[in-house]
Amino acid sequence: MEPIILMAWLEFAVRWVHVITAIAWIGSSFYFIALDLGLHRDRALSSGADGEQWQVHGGGFYHLQKYLVAPENLPTDLVWFKWESYSTWLSGFALLIIVYYYGAELYLVDPTVWDAPIWQAIVVSLASLGFGWIAYNLTCKLFVNADQTALMIALFVILVGVSWIYTQVFSGRAALLHLGAFTATIMSGNVFFIIIPNQKIVVADMKAGRQPAAIYGKIAKQRSTHNNYLTLPVIFLMLSIHYPLAFASEWNWLIASLVFLIGVLIRHFFNTMHQRGGHRWWTWGVSAALFAVIVFLSVQSMPLDAREEATSSERVFIDAEGFEEVYSVVLSRCSMCHAEEPAWEGLGWAPQGVVLETPVQIARHAHAIYLQSAASIAMPPANVSYMEDQERVQIAAWYQSVRSQ
C-alpha cells in the first residue's frame, strides 16, 4: 500500500484518539470546576469537609464532599485525574508531527511569510511550545499572591504577542494551530508539573503523619481554574484550521486574540452560574459584539499565496509526465470553486483557502489532489463537475510517477 495512504489513515487514527481524549479531559475539567463552585459551604459538616453537594444521575444519587486541604484519614483507593490530560497532549503532539512536520511544505512553511528551511521551522515550532510553558509558569509564580485579575491581563498580553509572532513565521493555518498547541501545552503542563505533583506532596505528608500545607492546594486550584478558562479558545483554534475565514485573514492574529476574550467571558458566565452568584447575561452581549468584530476582520483581507516561483519539490510535479493533462483536468473540474474568485454560486472564497488556477498552485497541492480525487472520490463533492474515471486515473498516474522516483 502507498505510504501516502498509510499516512492518511495514521493521521485519521491519531486525530480520533486526540478528539476522544480531549473530550474526556475537557469534560472532567468542566465537571470539577462546576462541582467546586457549586458546593454548599454554609453547612457545618461532621466530616470536617469544606463543602458538599448532592447530585442525581443515571438513576442514582451521589453525595460529594470536598476537603480544602486533606481528609483526616487518607483513603487507599484515590482516583487520580491526569491521564486524560497527558493522552490529549501526547496525541496532539503526534498529530502535529504527522500533519505539520511531515507535511511542512504544504501546511507549516509559507514562503511568502518566511521562506525558511523545513528544519528551521520545526525547531521554531518546538522551541515556541517550550517557551510557552516557561513564560506562563514564571508569570504565575510572579503573580501568585497578587490580584488574579492582574495575572489574567498579563497572560492575555503574552498570548496576543505570541499570536502575532506565529503569523510572522508560519502559514496562517499553522499559526492558529500552533497558538492552540501553545495554549494546550500550558494546560497540560499545569497538570503534569504543578497540579499532580502538589497533590502528591499532600498525599506524602499525610502518609508521614504531617499536616499538609494549604499553599499546595491553593496553587493547584489556581492552575486548574486557568485550564478551565483556556479550554474554549483552544477548541476554537483547533477547529479554525478548517475555516479559511479564521486563518487566512490578514488579521488572523487579532481574531485569535479576541477569541480568548470570548472564551473567558463565556466560561465566566457558566462559572458564576454554578457558584449560584446569578447569571451574568451581559457576558453574552459582549461576546456577540466581539464575535461581530471577528466576522468583520475576517473579510477585510484574505491574502492568498500569489507566489508563482515553484520550489524544487513543486517543480518535480510540474515537470513530471502527464502534468499538462492533469492541469487541464483540474482547471475544468476543480477551479470553478478553487479560485480566487469562485464561479460556483454561493461560494465567496476558495474552500479551505485552496486555490487551483496556476501550475504552481496545483503542484503545491499535489498530495491533496491525489488523495481527494484519485485515491478516493471525495472531490469534486458529489462529482458535481462530472470528473470522469479516466481523469482520475490520469491524476493517479501523474502523482505516482513522481512518488516512485
Side-chain angles (χ1 to χ4, degrees):
M1 186 175 291
E2 297 175 68
I4 189 172
I5 302 297
L6 293 175
M7 287 300 297
W9 275 109
L10 177 62
E11 177 189 337
F12 194 174
V14 174
R15 192 181 299 276
W16 191 15
V17 172
H18 184 54
V19 170
I20 291 170
T21 54
I23 290 172
W25 185 17
I26 293 169
S28 63
S29 172
F30 281 6
Y31 172 74
F32 279 105
I33 288 293
L35 172 63
D36 185 73
L37 293 174
L39 289 173
H40 289 280
R41 292 182 167 88
D42 55 348
R43 302 170 182 174
L45 303 176
S46 59
S47 62
D50 177 57
E52 69 172 357
Q53 186 179 96
W54 283 88
Q55 298 182 357
V56 58
H57 180 75
F61 294 87
Y62 298 81
H63 183 204
L64 305 169
Q65 294 184 332
K66 176 184 178 180
Y67 293 83
L68 193 57
V69 179
E72 183 177 349
N73 297 308
L74 183 67
T76 59
D77 55 349
L78 280 173
V79 177
W80 295 78
F81 290 86
K82 57 182 180 179
W83 291 110
E84 300 92 336
S85 168
Y86 302 163
S87 300
T88 300
W89 191 89
L90 289 171
S91 59
F93 186 69
L95 203 55
L96 181 67
I97 294 173
I98 294 170
V99 178
Y100 288 89
Y101 294 172
Y102 180 77
E105 289 186 347
L106 184 60
Y107 297 120
L108 183 64
V109 176
D110 184 345
T112 64
V113 177
W114 180 37
D115 192 7
I118 290 176
W119 71 267
Q120 288 185 11
I122 293 175
V123 168
V124 170
S125 169
L126 293 170
S128 70
L129 299 182
F131 165 79
W133 167 250
I134 294 172
Y136 165 80
N137 193 41
L138 290 176
T139 303
C140 285
K141 290 182 177 180
L142 182 65
F143 288 89
V144 66
N145 293 315
D147 180 2
Q148 293 303 293
T149 301
L151 172 59
M152 295 298 287
I153 293 174
L155 294 177
F156 179 68
V157 170
I158 292 175
L159 288 169
V160 172
V162 171
S163 300
W164 183 81
I165 291 172
Y166 273 141
T167 60
Q168 305 307 302
V169 294
F170 296 140
S171 68
R173 171 175 169 158
L176 264 62
L177 186 282
H178 271 77
L179 184 60
F182 179 96
T183 310
T185 299
I186 288 174
M187 295 170 65
S188 198
N190 277 335
V191 177
F192 185 77
F193 293 112
I194 304 296
I195 297 174
I196 296 299
N198 281 13
Q199 290 176 338
K200 287 185 176 180
I201 291 174
V202 171
V203 170
D205 283 345
M206 292 191 65
K207 288 182 177 180
R210 297 186 297 266
Q211 176 63 31
I215 185 63
Y216 296 113
K218 176 183 177 182
I219 294 174
K221 174 65 182 304
Q222 177 200 57
R223 301 303 182 91
S224 181
T225 301
H226 289 174
N227 283 2
N228 179 259
Y229 278 102
L230 291 173
T231 299
L232 296 184
V234 167
I235 294 175
F236 177 95
L237 292 168
M238 295 308 180
L239 293 175
S240 71
I241 63 174
H242 303 289
Y243 296 90
L245 281 174
F247 71 75
S249 167
E250 181 181 0
W251 298 101
N252 48 11
W253 67 272
L254 184 54
I255 289 173
S257 301
L258 293 178
V259 165
F260 278 96
L261 293 180
I262 293 176
V264 168
L265 287 171
I266 293 175
R267 286 311 306 161
H268 182 63
F269 171 85
F270 285 105
N271 288 344
T272 52
M273 180 183 71
H274 295 316
Q275 200 171 14
R276 294 183 292 274
H279 294 75
R280 303 293 194 269
W281 294 110
W282 61 268
T283 58
W284 289 100
V286 176
S287 297
L290 290 174
F291 195 75
V293 173
I294 288 175
V295 173
F296 174 77
L297 291 173
S298 71
V299 296
Q300 292 311 295
S301 175
M302 291 187 65
L304 298 171
D305 187 355
R307 174 172 55 89
E308 288 303 324
E309 183 177 350
T311 63
S312 58
S313 59
E314 291 167 351
R315 175 52 59 186
V316 173
F317 281 103
I318 294 174
D319 293 339
E321 183 179 355
F323 176 74
E324 291 185 5
E325 291 79 4
V326 170
Y327 180 56
S328 176
V329 170
V330 172
L331 286 183
S332 61
R333 307 301 187 187
C334 310
S335 294
M336 72 283 294
C337 295
H338 290 281
E340 291 192 24
E341 297 182 4
W344 191 269
E345 185 178 356
L347 285 180
W349 55 86
Q352 297 295 309
V354 175
V355 177
L356 302 173
E357 294 184 304
T358 68
V360 172
Q361 290 168 343
I362 292 172
R364 186 177 310 143
H365 296 286
H367 303 289
I369 293 172
Y370 171 70
L371 280 177
Q372 300 280 352
S373 301
S376 72
I377 56 172
M379 290 291 167
N383 203 22
V384 293
S385 59
Y386 304 104
M387 181 179 287
E388 298 177 359
D389 291 343
Q390 180 57 35
E391 293 172 329
R392 297 183 190 276
V393 170
Q394 289 175 327
I395 292 173
W398 162 68
Y399 179 83
Q400 291 167 350
S401 69
V402 174
R403 303 306 296 178
S404 62
Q405 294 179 7

